[in-house]
Amino acid sequence: MILSSTRLAPQFLLDPEVTFLNHGSFGACPKPVFDAYQAWQLKLERQPVAFLDPDRGYASWMHDSRKALAAVVGARPDDIVGVLNATVGLNIVAQSLPLQPGDEILTTDHEYAALEKTWAYVARRTGALVRVVEVPLPLVSEEAYTQALLSAMTPRTRVLFLSHITSPTALLFPIKAAVEEARQRGIWTVIDGAHTPGHIPLDLTALGADFYAGNCHKWLMAPKGSAFLHVRTELQDIINPLVISHGWTANRVEPGPFGGTSFIDAVEFQGTRDPAAWLTVPDAILFRQNNDWDAVARDCQTMAQETAARVAQFTGLEPFSRAEFCAPQMVAMPVPCTDPIVLKQDLLSRYGIEIPCFDWKDAYTIVRLSVQGYNTCRQMDMLVEALIDILNLTKAA
Ligand SMILES: Cc1ncc(COP(=O)(O)O)c(C=O)c1O
């Protein structure tokens, strides 16, 4: 039984004229969460000096967000810092690691384009090399995935950089064994979890990755500008913020100048900023609890998988993975090669459907469907009908 949309759609601020099937790019914030966000902003504007004074509440409010989020992602609150977005968190790590010429950064062919640039930049500055492993598709086993990575590791490999959920292909990478193996070999593990908080269960302590960044504005549905970086305690000393400000201390004496650890204060205090999005993270967590979001998410997963299966019936194209390696609420549906920009525009202008389309290695066009609690079965029908129409599909034999 689908319980989500009728009750939940009115709780979002999305334009009702648009069939919004792209939660994955920037998320969507429910009204009660957005109200809480604006309440923080008003409080800030009423008395900025009092608000931003660490001794008059600010330090403990920042901590409250870390604590609430830490409970959701399975971490110690002091191992988490709030950052603007996952890109910032991952840049902090990439630009802190002391890499040497000839060191290798191992990654996959499914990474987010902006982070590919980050590592290309780091490689250029340090003389390290980026090596890209082709993940065998369809992804059918953790062993195949792990093996592809292990066989590309060399004595020069210093960094393993992996998405936990991939952007173009919406795969849930089975990263645990690869992370463990890399750590045993003394390789830094850096995980891009932009899509994971609020989307899959997380236990960052058990995962054991050295560095993990995640967005709260996507599937956790907090306001934009709320993300975190998790760093294992032992490694926090090597992290340098991208911006040096009042929170930074040369000798890293504890506690830091704003009542957090020296790591937290160095990264979180970046000059004057509006922390309202970060402070709203507990409200987003509460909204999910109040609306039984685990059940909502299960319905969404069913809708996503059923829609992908219907599209596959028409295209005759195999999915990119077995169901267990597909992101629960996001699915990349391969369709026959067509111009992705034109397809995306057609879906929007002719059918009012907002959904991302990409090229995948000149072999397929990917239509990436996100399903969130505000979506309906009728919207899934509309998407299938629109694709059949635009792509001239008839049922595959
Ligand atoms: C896998 C992945 N990594 C990183 C990002 C970057 O997220 P942000 O722009 O919020 O930093 C995205 C954005 O969609 C993503 O899909």
Side-chain angles (χ1 to χ4, degrees):
M1 201 236 340
I2 303 294
L3 41 89
S4 46
S5 57
T6 336
R7 182 171 57 87
L8 294 173
Q11 299 219 49
F12 286 80
L13 292 153
L14 292 164
D15 180 352
E17 299 293 312
V18 175
T19 297
F20 193 74
L21 304 180
N22 187 8
H23 191 88
S25 282
F26 306 114
C29 187
K31 280 180 196 167
V33 180
F34 203 76
D35 288 345
Y37 169 57
Q38 291 188 315
W40 279 116
Q41 291 185 312
L42 282 173
K43 191 175 166 79
L44 168 60
E45 285 309 318
R46 265 176 73 82
Q47 225 295 32
V49 173
F51 190 102
L52 293 170
D53 179 343
D55 296 328
R56 288 195 257 177
Y58 178 69
S60 72
W61 302 330
M62 294 294 280
H63 177 76
D64 288 347
S65 284
R66 281 194 295 277
K67 196 169 155 200
L69 184 61
V72 170
V73 301
R76 281 185 348 111
D78 280 356
D79 291 342
I80 283 185
V81 276
V83 291
L84 196 60
N85 54 49
T87 307
V88 168
L90 292 165
N91 264 268
I92 290 172
V93 176
Q95 298 193 46
S96 292
L97 295 177
L99 295 173
Q100 305 288 328
D103 286 349
E104 291 175 1
I105 300 154
L106 193 64
T107 186
T108 80
D109 55 344
H110 293 242
E111 301 308 322
Y112 186 64
L115 274 310
E116 288 176 346
K117 289 192 176 183
T118 301
W119 291 109
Y121 168 82
V122 165
R124 193 157 128 166
R125 264 195 23 208
T126 61
L129 301 168
V130 177
R131 295 193 60 199
V132 178
V133 172
E134 194 170 325
V135 173
L137 293 183
L139 182 55
V140 292
S141 74
E142 177 170 14
E143 295 72 49
Y145 174 80
T146 311
Q147 205 42 53
L149 291 168
L150 295 194
S151 55
M153 286 177 190
T154 75
R156 304 302 309 260
T157 308
R158 300 285 284 143
V159 178
L160 178 64
F161 173 65
L162 303 172
S163 284
H164 202 169
I165 289 179
T166 65
S167 173
T169 43
L171 293 175
L172 172 56
F173 273 168
I175 59 172
K176 189 153 175 39
V179 164
E180 274 168 14
E181 186 63 37
R183 274 196 57 195
Q184 274 176 23
R185 296 181 189 203
I187 296 168
W188 285 306
T189 49
V190 184
I191 307 301
D192 175 353
H195 282 277
T196 62
H199 194 176
I200 56 169
L202 284 177
D203 186 341
L204 296 186
T205 305
L207 177 64
D210 295 315
F211 310 97
Y212 192 109
N215 275 329
C216 303
H217 70 255
K218 287 185 195 277
W219 299 94
L220 203 64
M221 300 183 295
K224 286 141 199 67
S226 56
F228 71 90
L229 170 64
H230 178 264
V231 179
R232 287 203 306 114
T233 320
E234 308 86 284
L235 292 170
Q236 289 170 6
D237 269 357
I238 65 169
I239 288 296
N240 295 308
L242 296 174
V243 174
I244 305 300
S245 180
H246 292 301
W248 186 80
T249 43
N251 50 8
R252 303 242 161 167
V253 172
E254 303 298 349
F258 293 99
T261 65
S262 58
F263 159 66
I264 288 169
D265 286 354
V267 176
E268 283 190 354
F269 198 94
Q270 304 263 297
T272 307
R273 67 172 190 135
D274 174 357
W278 174 250
L279 297 178
T280 309
V281 166
D283 300 280
I285 294 168
L286 191 64
F287 173 85
R288 295 168 55 88
Q289 286 164 357
N290 290 344
N291 288 280
D292 195 7
W293 215 263
D294 288 345
V296 172
R298 276 195 296 277
D299 285 348
C300 293
Q301 179 171 16
T302 305
M303 272 205 262
Q305 289 295 318
E306 285 179 0
T307 308
R310 286 169 70 192
V311 171
Q313 272 202 326
F314 283 96
T315 61
L317 296 174
E318 201 180 7
F320 285 118
S321 73
R322 278 211 329 238
E324 69 194 277
F325 303 118
C326 181
Q329 289 176 245
M330 198 164 75
V331 55
M333 305 184 293
V335 300
C337 255
T338 184
D339 184 333
I341 298 170
V342 174
L343 177 58
K344 180 179 154 49
Q345 279 167 353
D346 272 357
L347 284 163
L348 186 60
S349 62
R350 290 170 51 192
Y351 300 90
I353 298 174
E354 183 70 67
I355 193 165
C357 305
F358 327 101
D359 169 67
W360 181 251
K361 301 190 173 190
D362 292 331
Y364 306 107
T365 297
I366 288 177
V367 179
R368 193 189 72 185
L369 168 66
S370 294
V371 184
Q372 188 51 297
Y374 47 78
N375 292 125
T376 63
C377 291
R378 175 69 200 121
Q379 291 178 324
M380 302 300 122
D381 294 343
M382 283 167 62
L383 174 66
V384 175
E385 285 155 22
L387 287 173
I388 291 170
D389 188 23
I390 297 175
L391 298 169
N392 276 319
L393 296 174
T394 47
K395 213 169 196 162

